[in-house]
Amino acid sequence: MTSKLYSAPVDIPLIKLKLDPDNIRFRHIGDELTEPQIETYLFEEEDVRLLMKGIISARQLNQPILVIKEPDGKYLVKEGNRRTVALRKIVEQIKNGKLKGFTEDHFDNVP
């Protein structure tokens, strides 16, 4: 039997990405965090704002997000939790009219 560690890159809808509560960045906190808590923690504690600036400037994500497909059809982010949060915040700004020059669906799919 052979197993495949990586597959060919595919675009995944941003709304199907779930942040990883077992990510090493959260181990010092102790309790397992909820999705909103992870997003808030990463946005407040990590360099997400800098990532947002880079993504906005490049108009794309330059490094793919590594995921594992879950039985529920969603994708658990194994590498790229900060990038995922940055994209969510960017999409929020686009939809709220705070960020101009992008269509509302510009970041709907993530490589």
Side-chain angles (χ1 to χ4, degrees):
M1 177 173 122
T2 61
S3 63
K4 192 186 229 185
L5 183 57
Y6 299 106
S7 66
V10 295
D11 286 347
I12 297 170
L14 181 60
I15 61 171
K16 287 194 169 197
L17 297 181
K18 294 184 343 186
L19 301 174
D20 184 4
D22 295 324
N23 186 288
I24 194 166
R25 293 180 190 278
F26 318 126
R27 286 196 184 148
H28 68 284
I29 296 172
D31 295 332
E32 188 169 302
L33 300 174
T34 65
E35 184 96 1
Q37 289 172 323
I38 295 170
E39 191 164 321
T40 299
Y41 172 81
L42 288 175
F43 190 70
E44 292 176 356
E45 302 294 330
E46 298 290 333
D47 234 355
V48 171
R49 288 174 185 88
L50 185 61
L51 279 172
M52 287 174 65
K53 287 180 183 179
I55 294 167
I56 291 167
S57 175
R59 302 185 64 80
Q60 66 181 1
L61 193 60
N62 289 321
Q63 186 176 4
I65 293 173
L66 301 177
V67 298
I68 296 174
K69 189 168 186 177
E70 302 264 283
D72 65 1
K74 296 214 175 193
Y75 295 83
L76 182 66
V77 176
K78 295 309 285 180
E79 294 291 332
N81 286 280
R82 293 182 315 135
R83 282 171 273 155
T84 301
V85 170
L87 286 170
R88 288 177 179 175
K89 295 293 185 182
I90 291 168
V91 166
E92 183 179 306
Q93 288 182 2
I94 292 169
K95 290 185 178 180
N96 290 338
K98 293 180 182 176
L99 183 59
K100 306 290 184 192
F102 294 91
T103 60
E104 282 197 15
D105 64 350
H106 189 90
F107 294 105
D108 279 359
N109 291 303
V110 181

